[in-house]
Amino acid sequence: MAKGLTIAVKRIYEPPEKADGARFLVDRLWPRGVSKEKATLTAWLKILSPTDAMREEFHHATAHSDAAWAAFRKEYFAELDAGGDEIAAALAELDAAAKAGPVTLLYAAKDEERNNAVALREWLEKR
């Protein structure tokens, strides 16, 4: 992401707003109870979400502990750093959207402070 751009993070269950700009779902699983039409997505970038094993470990272990959150982010960031063609393509799509206007990363988790979209935003802002 270009320096100085703000990346918003929002639960997909919140209503879409014009200020959201380009809306990207960054969960591996489609959120329950949300129709694809109602989601008003620019794209579903599930390749940028944590692997199923990583997601399950984080959610079923001690998701609310600082140690679990730190370990999750370290492993997730390493996965993103490893990249690959699909991740590079998804990042190029995010970068292009960010140059055109606001970007919002959408997630379904109940925890608004510790979820993969928050972690992804942190990683994107540091790269």
Side-chain angles (χ1 to χ4, degrees), residues 5-126:
L5 292 177
T6 302
I7 304 165
V9 174
K10 181 177 183 177
R11 273 191 97 212
I12 194 161
Y13 299 104
E14 295 176 35
E17 299 175 39
K18 190 172 185 171
D20 292 345
R23 293 167 47 92
F24 294 95
L25 177 62
V26 292
D27 281 352
R28 191 159 297 269
L29 304 174
W30 187 263
R32 291 182 186 176
V34 177
S35 70
K36 293 189 179 179
E37 296 78 30
K38 198 172 187 178
T40 61
L41 296 180
T42 302
W44 181 11
L45 301 178
K46 58 181 145 180
I47 191 65
L48 295 181
S49 66
T51 62
D52 285 332
M54 189 185 318
R55 180 181 52 80
E56 288 175 16
E57 181 181 335
F58 176 66
H59 290 292
H60 296 325
T62 51
H64 298 291
S65 78
D66 291 341
W69 176 237
F72 168 77
R73 288 176 28 252
K74 181 179 180 181
E75 187 176 346
Y76 184 33
F77 294 170
E79 189 177 272
L80 291 167
D81 288 337
D85 292 341
E86 288 181 292
I87 288 178
L91 292 173
E93 188 170 356
L94 272 176
D95 288 340
K99 287 178 184 172
V103 168
T104 300
L105 304 178
L106 301 167
Y107 65 94
K110 291 180 182 175
D111 189 330
E112 295 182 7
E113 295 177 9
R114 294 180 176 177
N115 62 66
N116 63 294
V118 168
L120 177 59
R121 175 179 59 186
E122 180 183 341
W123 183 83
L124 288 168
E125 289 174 343
K126 288 182 179 179

